[in-house]
Amino acid sequence: MMHTQIDEIRREAAAFPLNSSANLEDFRLRYLSKKGVLNGLFDAFRALPGDEKRTVGPAINQLKTELEEKWEAAKKSLDALATAGRGPGTTSRQKEIDEEDLSLPAAPIPRGGLHPISLVRRDVVNFFATLGFTLSEGMEMVDDWHNFGALNFAEDHPAREMQDTFFVQTNPDILLRTHTSSVQVKEMQLGNLPIRTLSPGRVYRNETVSARSHMQFHQIEGLYIDEQVSFGDLRLTLNLFAEHFFGSEAKIRFRPSYFPFTEPSAEMDVSCFLCKQEGCAVCKQTGWVEILGCGMVDPQVLEHCGIDSQRYSGYAFGMGIERLTMLRYQIRDIRHFFENDLQFLRQFSGE
Ligand code: PHE
């Protein structure tokens, strides 16, 4: 009679789920606690006649050992799981494990992305690297000579007013560079000829901030100085760049222009890649988009920087990275680049 009861309890306990701390506690209360099933058995055992006691006693003890071992083993493996997660048996972690599906893939970790200005700068720098251009950078705060003097902006030259400048109040000889041409002066003074270098960087102009202009922006300037560099070399180089950046169908054209440090000087337009020259808002119905300024380095500038202008000639070009980026992604307001609005920036991070 008692033996069948013991067997039944054994069968029932074997099917008891022991995969969470809650189950574990239920098991303990049901079988092992003071008022549990085992103690109930021992109570009934005490009322048995002596000869039955002899066989039932060891059977109950055997069941007790089995149930205690089962409980211990389950507790051990649950504790091990918790330790793997967060340290020894933390109850809150234990709870999480109960509710978590451990076979699911991990939650994604949010990643940062590159700013659109950085994306375009990298693209341009990498392209010119394939033509042998090195990278050179300079300081954002420079003296008048590097930003203006060496580049033929004489003291009283009206061209200085083309670029509204931020000066340091206590020393007006120091200013925030208005263009990356200041880096070229430094490179030419170093005099490691021939020079074939690209200088990206931030520049500053005292302009009213609007959708189309900002008091800080980025330029990329190219400089090539060697024996017998011609305008034809400049044209070829910029043509290749336009095809790379705007597509193989891109055409370029030059318009005469003026910069104090280049002679002759030109502005370069690229055929409108949006409307294929049918006429649209971006090209203002002209079929052409203005991209950059360029020209042959003025021999006087070479001499200022200690380069023999009889022997060497060179070209330079400079473009605004914001402008290229706005064209590439059709961004209508330059202020987006400096506001760090994540909704704007995430569009470029590939998330
Ligand atoms: N530095 C000029 C500017 O900022 C651009 C330029 C660079 C023009 C090189 C000609 C050659 O406007």
Side-chain angles (χ1 to χ4, degrees), residues 111-120 325-326 328-332 336-337 341-351:
R111 282 183 305 158
L114 287 177
H115 193 283
I117 296 292
S118 307
L119 289 171
V120 170
T325 312
M326 287 169 87
R328 169 170 282 183
Y329 298 112
Q330 296 194 46
I331 297 162
R332 281 167 218 270
H336 285 307
F337 295 127
D341 177 346
L342 285 176
Q343 284 199 39
F344 170 74
L345 294 176
R346 282 202 182 113
Q347 299 177 87
F348 307 93
S349 65
E351 267 180 43

Side-chain angles (χ1 to χ4, degrees), residues 221-263:
E221 186 144 332
L223 176 73
Y224 177 36
I225 295 177
D226 202 346
E227 293 178 18
Q228 296 182 339
V229 176
S230 72
F231 201 95
D233 297 325
L234 173 63
R235 213 188 150 92
L236 172 72
T237 305
L238 292 180
N239 208 358
L240 289 172
F241 168 67
E243 284 177 8
H244 164 76
F245 197 85
F246 295 105
S248 57
E249 282 164 35
K251 287 180 287 186
I252 57 170
R253 76 172 184 192
F254 289 87
R255 283 177 291 107
S257 185
Y258 174 76
F259 301 102
F261 41 91
T262 46
E263 182 59 34

Side-chain angles (χ1 to χ4, degrees), residues 163 178-181 205 219 221-222 259 261-262 266 293-295 316-319:
Q163 305 185 352
T178 61
H179 52 183
T180 41
S181 305
R205 291 189 197 177
Q219 287 189 329
E221 186 144 332
F259 301 102
F261 41 91
T262 46
C294 60
F317 56 87
M319 53 194 143

